[in-house]
């Protein structure tokens, strides 16, 4: 071993391991984060040391380093800048921003894209471009969960939103005082804020003293006087549906847990907010973490979970620190830990940081990741988390917003909560609006109280000057796109896009889904082939690779839309895209198959004229030369053709170097 491990780092490592009393392997990701934050990268020697510390084989650590994009095998620059590339940021100019940052840092992206030696991690993930002097590095990354303030970037652990491309060079010298965290616009008259009640309120801070001053933990005290069955019944009565994407009834999910069984029950908060277009949980984590903690403790009491984890995005380092501090405050005052408020109920909560994999938003993939493995989703049945979840024990996985709602259900009662919104679509919902509107941002409204048109033209101030509405993605990038000018038959009504109420059932009846509440608006200046290609790049990059239809199909769709944009589209490409999507959806272990195929199916169906107009060739362009195995063995160097549109995600060596 050729490194010195300071005592402080060793203490942090030992402390992290204690958070996982059932399995030391679960501490793998926390140890990799601690190591990389101290040493800057993960070397072979590092992998061996961490494996020995956790009593694992080195392959168990290596498989994580080569799966999770946030881990690096070689150093980045002393100042590392991550620029978001997903759809909302692309619409706001993130591609130009990346180029401007690289130019300011003295990085020749064209040369770098042609030279695989400059890629910090050729094995997987996001290649990192490093300046010749090692001072700066630039990385094009997937969604940073601040779509409403695009374009955005992370500078080391600092966050910067609404970046003016003309000021790109300022990121190289960004100070903490100049960093920005998400801000919510003042409440609109159409809003009803419950979860966001204290967000951006003047004088409100995220510490325990302020939370208690505003009535915090009163609902926990009330819940501890109730029976667990009574709490579950209140949540059932409320009609609360999960706010993470699937919309499954929360109380019904909880009722699957059989308390008092031979195995312990676990609760996991899914704070891995990584669906492009979705950016609500970050606000809660940063500005009102005790609301989340209170909702989690009540939920743990209801399902008899003594141990819970907050699985938070690796891209939320400051958010993780804020929640850690809040947990320590709650623990010190008896709201967490042993014998909570003298009730006899014990409950502990720990923060667990992810490392950049979108697939961890799928609950069984998240569980695998929490167990210290690659996030390969499990087959359901038999691996329903409520039966065989974390460590093969009963487990409840709920979203941040969902768990916060539990607190408000206890405060007002399930029946009163059910009066908010509309039947089967109760309570409030935080809608995240990004793209081509005057006032993008977060809006908490009663479910179904707004139509799409009211959301866009009233709440969000309409489209940008001189533009008309072209399309809307209503529930995050995996939702099927809806086209302006079309009509939808729902029961006995005919609705236009603007007439659609923003509730779960109506959006589903119109052929899409409410999903995670991420509404991406596109005006008539946008090319749909380019928008779909951006989405396809995301899903090709984020496929876990376990299922062949996803692993091969997502990349295939991305290559076809890329080829169309490059002018090499063939007459068969639009139909081929749909066929590939059809062969993915419904044929994979988890819903990622649908997530990656639905955009392609819907974009081509709704905007076929744009795809056919760009797909005119009789045959595709020639492929790189192919060689027999004998030729590959005989020739030390083999010529190859560089990727046609290097964007930082496709690593291809230049001619005569392979």
């Amino acid at each position: 071993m050729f490194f010195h491990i300071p005592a402080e780092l060793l203490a942090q490592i030992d402390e992290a391991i204690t958070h996982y009393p059932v399995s030391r392997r679960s501490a793998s990701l926390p140890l990799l984060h601690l190591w990389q934050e101290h040493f800057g990268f993960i070397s072979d020697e590092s992998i061996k040391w961490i494996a020995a510390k956790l009593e694992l084989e080195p392959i168990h650590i290596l498989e994580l380093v080569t799966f999770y994009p946030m881990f690096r095998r070689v150093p980045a620059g002393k100042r590392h800048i991550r620029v978001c590339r997903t759809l909302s940021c692309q619409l706001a100019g993130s591609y130009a921003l990346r180029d401007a940052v690289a130019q300011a840092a003295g990085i020749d992206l064209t040369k770098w894209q042609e030279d695989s030696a400059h890629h910090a991690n050729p094995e997987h993930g996001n290649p990192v471009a490093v300046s010749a002097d090692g001072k700066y590095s630039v990385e094009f990354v997937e969604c940073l969960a601040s779509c409403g303030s695009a374009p955005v970037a992370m500078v080391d652990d600092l966050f910067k939103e609404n970046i003016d491309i003309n000021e790109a060079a300022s990121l190289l010298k960004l100070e903490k005082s100049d960093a920005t965290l998400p801000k919510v616009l003042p409440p609109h008259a159409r809003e009803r804020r419950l979860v966001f009640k204290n967000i951006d309120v003047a004088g409100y801070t995220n510490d325990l003293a302020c939370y208690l001053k505003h009535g915090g933990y009163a609902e926990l005290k009330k819940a501890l006087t109730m029976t667990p069955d009574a709490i579950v019944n209140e949540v059932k009565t409320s009609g609360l549906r999960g706010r993470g994407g699937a919309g499954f009834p929360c109380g019904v999910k909880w009722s699957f847990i059989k308390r008092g069984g031979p195995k312990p029950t676990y609760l996991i908060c899914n704070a891995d907010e990584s669906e492009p277009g979705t950016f609500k949980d970050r606000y809660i984590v940063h500005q009102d973490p005790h609301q989340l903690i209170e909702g989690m403790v009540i939920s743990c009491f209801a399902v008899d979970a003594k141990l819970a984890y907050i699985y938070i995005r690796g891209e939320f380092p400051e958010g993780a620190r804020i929640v850690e501090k809040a947990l320590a405050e709650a623990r010190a005052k008896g709201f967490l830990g042993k014998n909570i408020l003298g009730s006899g109920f014990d409950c502990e909560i720990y923060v667990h940081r992810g490392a950049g994999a979108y697939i961890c938003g799928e609950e069984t993939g998240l569980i695998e990741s929490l167990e210290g493995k690659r996030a390969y989703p499990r087959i359901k049945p038999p691996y329903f988390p409520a039966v065989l979840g974390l460590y093969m024990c009963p487990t409840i996985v709920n979203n941040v917003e969902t768990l916060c709602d539990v607190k408000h259900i206890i405060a007002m009662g399930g029946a009163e909560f059910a009066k908010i919104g509309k039947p089967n679509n109760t309570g409030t919902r935080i809608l995240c609006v990004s793209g081509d509107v005057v006032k993008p941002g977060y809006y908490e409204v009663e479910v179904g109280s707004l139509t799409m048109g009211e959301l866009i033209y009233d709440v969000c101030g309409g489209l940008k000057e001189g533009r008309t509405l072209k399309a809307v993605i209503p529930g995050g990038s995996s939702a099927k796109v809806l086209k302006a000018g079309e009509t939808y038959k729902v029961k006995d009504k005919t609705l236009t896009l603007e007439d659609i109420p923003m509730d779960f059932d109506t959006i589903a009846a119109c052929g899409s889904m409410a999903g995670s509440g991420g509404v991406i608006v596109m005006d008539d200046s946008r090319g749909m082939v380019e928008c779909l290609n951006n989405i396809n790049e995301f899903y090709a990059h984020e496929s876990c690779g376990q299922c062949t239809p996803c692993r091969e199909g997502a990349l295939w769709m991305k290559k076809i839309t890329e080829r169309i944009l490059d002018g090499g589209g063939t007459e068969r490409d639009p139909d081929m895209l749909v066929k590939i999507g059809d062969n993915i959806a419904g044929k994979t272990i988890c819903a990622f198959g649908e997530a990656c195929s639905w955009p392609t199916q819907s974009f081509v169906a709704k905007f076929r004229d744009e795809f056919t107009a760009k797909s005119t060739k009789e045959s595709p362009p020639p492929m790189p030369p192919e060689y027999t195995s004998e030729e590959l063995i005989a020739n030390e160097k083999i010529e190859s053709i560089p990727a046609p549109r290097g964007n930082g995600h496709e690593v291809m060596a230049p001619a005569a170097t392979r």
Side-chain angles (χ1 to χ4, degrees), residues 196-255:
F196 269 26
K197 180 181 179 181
N198 296 316
I199 302 298
D200 275 342
V201 172
Y204 191 85
T205 55
N206 59 22
D207 57 272
L208 178 59
C210 184
Y211 189 66
L212 292 174
K213 182 180 177 182
H214 287 77
Y217 290 105
E219 282 70 42
L220 173 59
K221 294 174 183 176
K222 178 181 177 180
L224 292 174
T225 67
M226 303 166 65
T227 65
D229 281 336
I231 297 173
V232 173
N233 287 335
E234 289 291 343
V235 175
K236 277 186 177 180
T237 301
S238 75
L240 175 66
R241 295 172 66 168
R243 303 309 198 226
F248 192 82
C250 180
V252 174
K253 179 186 280 192
W254 287 9
S255 67

Side-chain angles (χ1 to χ4, degrees), residues 480-493:
K480 291 185 177 181
V481 68
L482 299 176
K483 182 180 181 180
E486 285 192 332
T487 57
Y488 307 89
K489 191 73 174 178
V490 180
K491 296 182 180 178
D492 58 342
K493 295 182 179 180

Side-chain angles (χ1 to χ4, degrees), residues 354-426:
Y358 166 78
I359 194 64
C360 293
E362 198 281 334
E363 59 183 2
T364 62
L366 182 153
I367 289 169
E368 285 284 298
S369 181
L370 188 48
E371 290 183 359
K373 306 170 189 174
R374 288 187 167 195
Y376 289 154
R378 299 172 178 175
I379 296 174
K380 295 185 285 188
Y383 296 106
F384 291 110
V387 180
L388 297 170
L390 185 63
Y391 311 130
M392 293 295 116
C393 295
T395 304
I396 291 294
V397 183
N398 282 134
N399 168 262
V400 170
E401 183 184 353
T402 310
L403 290 165
C404 289
D405 275 323
V406 170
K407 161 191 164 69
H408 301 289
I409 290 168
I410 296 301
M412 67 177 67
E416 287 300 311
F417 188 90
K419 293 177 182 177
I420 303 172
K422 52 198 291 191
N424 202 41
N425 293 270
T426 61

Side-chain angles (χ1 to χ4, degrees), residues 323-654:
V323 176
E324 291 273 18
K325 177 177 176 289
L327 288 170
E329 290 176 330
R331 205 173 286 122
K333 293 296 183 180
F335 298 114
L336 189 64
K338 297 287 186 182
N339 190 26
I340 295 174
L341 298 177
S343 66
F345 176 62
D346 301 338
C347 180
E348 190 53 83
I349 301 174
Y350 296 114
V351 173
H352 182 98
R353 287 183 65 197
Y358 166 78
I359 194 64
C360 293
E362 198 281 334
E363 59 183 2
T364 62
L366 182 153
I367 289 169
E368 285 284 298
S369 181
L370 188 48
E371 290 183 359
K373 306 170 189 174
R374 288 187 167 195
Y376 289 154
R378 299 172 178 175
I379 296 174
K380 295 185 285 188
Y383 296 106
F384 291 110
V387 180
L388 297 170
L390 185 63
Y391 311 130
M392 293 295 116
C393 295
T395 304
I396 291 294
V397 183
N398 282 134
N399 168 262
V400 170
E401 183 184 353
T402 310
L403 290 165
C404 289
D405 275 323
V406 170
K407 161 191 164 69
H408 301 289
I409 290 168
I410 296 301
M412 67 177 67
E416 287 300 311
F417 188 90
K419 293 177 182 177
I420 303 172
K422 52 198 291 191
N424 202 41
N425 293 270
T426 61
T428 62
R429 186 92 201 268
I430 303 170
L431 299 176
C432 320
V433 187
S434 62
D436 298 323
V437 291
V438 174
K439 295 189 292 185
Y442 301 76
Y443 302 95
E444 185 175 3
V445 300
E446 294 190 31
V447 182
S449 65
L450 287 175
T451 64
M452 184 77 75
E454 290 171 329
L455 176 66
I456 294 172
Y457 295 105
D458 181 10
V459 176
C460 295
L463 300 170
K464 295 176 182 178
E465 186 175 357
R467 309 268 40 131
T468 58
L469 182 63
K470 185 171 186 177
V472 177
I473 299 173
S477 67
S478 58
K480 291 185 177 181
V481 68
L482 299 176
K483 182 180 181 180
E486 285 192 332
T487 57
Y488 307 89
K489 191 73 174 178
V490 180
K491 296 182 180 178
D492 58 342
K493 295 182 179 180
T494 299
L495 304 176
T496 66
L497 173 59
E498 290 86 349
D499 294 333
I500 298 172
M502 298 299 293
D503 65 62
F504 291 94
D505 298 332
T506 309
I507 294 176
C510 292
S512 190
M513 65 175 180
S516 55
V519 181
I520 306 175
V521 180
M522 291 162 280
D523 66 29
D524 61 327
S525 69
R526 304 303 179 181
M528 293 296 103
V529 181
E530 187 172 13
C531 290
L532 177 60
N533 183 63
N534 182 285
I535 294 172
N536 283 348
E537 286 189 29
F538 173 79
Y539 288 109
H541 181 265
E542 294 299 326
S543 171
C544 74
Q546 181 176 202
C547 302
T548 301
C550 259
R551 181 183 64 249
E552 304 299 327
L555 182 60
W556 195 359
M557 290 190 297
K558 173 240 183 182
K559 287 183 175 180
I560 291 178
T561 51
E562 205 164 64
R563 182 172 73 194
I564 293 173
L565 287 177
D566 289 336
T570 73
E571 297 168 348
R572 294 172 294 171
D573 280 348
D575 288 332
M576 181 63 70
L577 281 168
V578 175
K579 184 177 181 180
I580 297 169
D582 292 345
N583 284 322
I584 299 173
K587 300 174 179 65
T588 55
I589 287 175
C590 80
F592 189 98
E594 286 71 35
C596 74
S597 59
W598 283 349
T600 290
Q601 291 170 325
S602 61
F603 269 81
V604 176
K606 305 282 188 182
F607 300 97
R608 176 172 281 270
D609 57 334
E610 293 192 34
F611 287 84
T612 56
K614 292 179 178 290
S615 304
T616 58
K617 301 290 192 298
E618 290 186 4
S619 60
M623 296 293 288
E626 296 182 5
Y627 299 90
T628 65
S629 57
E630 291 78 12
E631 288 174 317
L632 290 171
I633 293 170
N635 293 282
E636 182 177 343
K637 295 181 179 180
I638 297 294
E639 289 190 358
S640 63
I641 297 176
R645 292 180 70 246
N647 62 3
H649 286 279
E650 185 132 1
V651 179
M652 181 70 74

Side-chain angles (χ1 to χ4, degrees), residues 148-313:
S149 53
V152 297
M154 281 184 68
V155 182
D156 298 329
D157 283 356
L158 303 176
F159 188 79
K160 185 70 174 175
E161 60 181 355
N162 291 127
I163 303 169
D164 185 333
I165 294 174
N166 296 319
E167 299 176 357
S170 66
L171 296 181
L172 304 181
K173 299 180 180 180
L174 185 69
E175 300 290 340
K176 189 166 186 178
S177 59
D178 298 320
T180 53
L181 291 177
K183 295 293 182 183
V184 180
L185 294 170
H188 190 276
R190 299 295 298 273
E191 288 191 71
R192 178 170 180 177
R193 291 191 176 179
L194 294 179
V195 176
F196 269 26
K197 180 181 179 181
N198 296 316
I199 302 298
D200 275 342
V201 172
Y204 191 85
T205 55
N206 59 22
D207 57 272
L208 178 59
C210 184
Y211 189 66
L212 292 174
K213 182 180 177 182
H214 287 77
Y217 290 105
E219 282 70 42
L220 173 59
K221 294 174 183 176
K222 178 181 177 180
L224 292 174
T225 67
M226 303 166 65
T227 65
D229 281 336
I231 297 173
V232 173
N233 287 335
E234 289 291 343
V235 175
K236 277 186 177 180
T237 301
S238 75
L240 175 66
R241 295 172 66 168
R243 303 309 198 226
F248 192 82
C250 180
V252 174
K253 179 186 280 192
W254 287 9
S255 67
F256 294 154
I257 297 291
K258 305 303 179 186
R259 293 186 301 275
K263 294 182 178 180
T265 297
Y266 298 100
L267 183 138
I268 304 172
C269 170
N270 183 352
D272 191 61
E273 184 176 43
S274 48
E275 173 85 8
T278 313
F279 48 104
K280 56 190 172 64
D281 296 342
R282 181 197 286 269
Y283 286 71
I284 300 166
V285 164
H286 276 269
Q287 297 195 34
D288 205 4
H290 282 284
Q291 179 184 198
L292 172 60
I293 295 168
E294 183 173 13
M296 286 186 68
V297 178
I298 294 170
S299 303
C300 286
F301 181 65
V303 300
D304 194 31
K306 305 294 195 302
L307 181 59
Y309 293 96
I310 300 173
Y311 190 106
I312 192 169
R313 288 200 71 187

